Amino acid sequence: MTTQRSRSRKRKREMTKKLHDAVLLSAAGLMLAGLVFSIWDSELIIINTSKSVLPGLYVRSGHPSRGGYVRLCPSVTAMQIEHELHYTRKSAWSECDGGTTALLKMLAAVPGDDVRVDDDGITVNGSLIPHTRPFGYDRDGQRLPVYRLERRLQADEYLVSTDGTDIYSFDSRYFGIVHGAGMTAYRPLWQAEKEK
């Protein structure tokens, strides 16, 4: 009889401990999820699954610089094209004022750079950026306008492009110059391997 009571108490203690551990683990999980969401929602960290640049984890960094990554809200021209093509790419980090979709791109050219955008692609200071030849259509076969430009970029004028990940990237070869207002620099913490 005493042994049965002893076993019953022991089982009760074990179940209470398991329940206690489960509650603690759940609380810790919720706290961690809240922390991750608040960091993600504050745009400190971007989890990129788009195809324009390598998928991965990107963290906010200093100032935008040529060859680095930037998050930006589309120009008026880009917004018009997105609207006409019915592009919808929403995620926690992608909403801009007015409900447009933010873009994560490589910063191809900065003020003072001599640039050319033509049928060959985006050329910056005499060097053609690989994989920027415009196709005039997207991966779904929808027609895209090809932007043309040849001059030196002035203050607050930038060009953005793919980092070579996606030949169909929606970038400056289709919508041209973007401005720095609202542009935020990011650096990769981790990136998927580039497909060969």
Side-chain angles (χ1 to χ4, degrees):
M1 193 88 164
T2 307
T3 309
Q4 261 185 338
R5 281 186 196 154
S6 176
R7 281 189 205 143
S8 177
R9 277 191 225 122
K10 188 177 178 184
R11 263 187 265 136
K12 228 180 202 178
R13 278 194 305 269
E14 286 174 358
M15 287 179 66
T16 303
K17 185 178 180 335
K18 284 181 182 177
L19 181 61
H20 180 262
D21 290 349
V23 167
L24 280 178
L25 190 60
S26 297
L30 286 171
M31 285 173 57
L32 182 61
L35 177 64
V36 168
F37 181 77
S38 66
I39 289 172
W40 188 8
D41 192 46
S42 72
E43 297 164 10
L44 177 62
I45 291 177
I46 286 176
I47 299 170
N48 178 54
T49 57
S50 73
K51 296 181 178 178
S52 292
V53 298
L54 281 171
L57 197 60
Y58 293 77
V59 65
R60 191 182 293 187
S61 61
H63 298 289
S65 59
R66 188 187 318 107
Y69 294 94
V70 292
R71 175 200 182 273
L72 68 147
C73 289
S75 63
V76 173
T77 306
M79 285 192 295
Q80 289 169 341
I81 296 169
E82 282 191 334
H83 180 71
E84 286 170 17
L85 298 180
H86 308 290
Y87 284 167
T88 53
R89 298 181 302 275
K90 297 291 180 195
S91 68
W93 62 267
S94 71
E95 190 143 341
C96 295
D97 290 341
T100 60
T101 304
L103 306 172
L104 183 65
K105 301 291 176 185
M106 185 182 82
L107 192 55
V110 300
D113 284 342
D114 291 313
V115 299
R116 188 174 70 247
V117 183
D118 58 18
D119 291 337
D120 293 329
I122 300 173
T123 301
V124 180
N125 298 325
S127 296
L128 179 66
I129 297 176
H131 310 291
T132 60
R133 182 174 63 85
F135 288 92
Y137 54 88
D138 65 14
R139 66 172 39 82
D140 296 323
Q142 299 180 98
R143 294 204 55 77
L144 285 166
V146 176
Y147 189 79
R148 308 262 181 220
L149 176 71
E150 185 168 8
R151 66 173 172 81
R152 180 166 290 170
L153 292 181
Q154 304 303 307
D156 198 39
E157 292 184 334
Y158 301 85
L159 295 181
V160 293
S161 73
T162 178
D163 61 2
T165 302
D166 181 23
I167 59 174
Y168 292 105
S169 168
F170 181 59
D171 54 39
S172 287
R173 55 192 145 155
Y174 302 113
F175 54 74
I177 290 171
V178 296
H179 299 281
M183 187 183 288
T184 311
Y186 283 84
R187 64 179 174 79
L189 278 179
W190 172 83
Q191 290 177 310
E193 285 188 32
K194 199 173 279 192
E195 289 182 15
K196 294 177 182 176

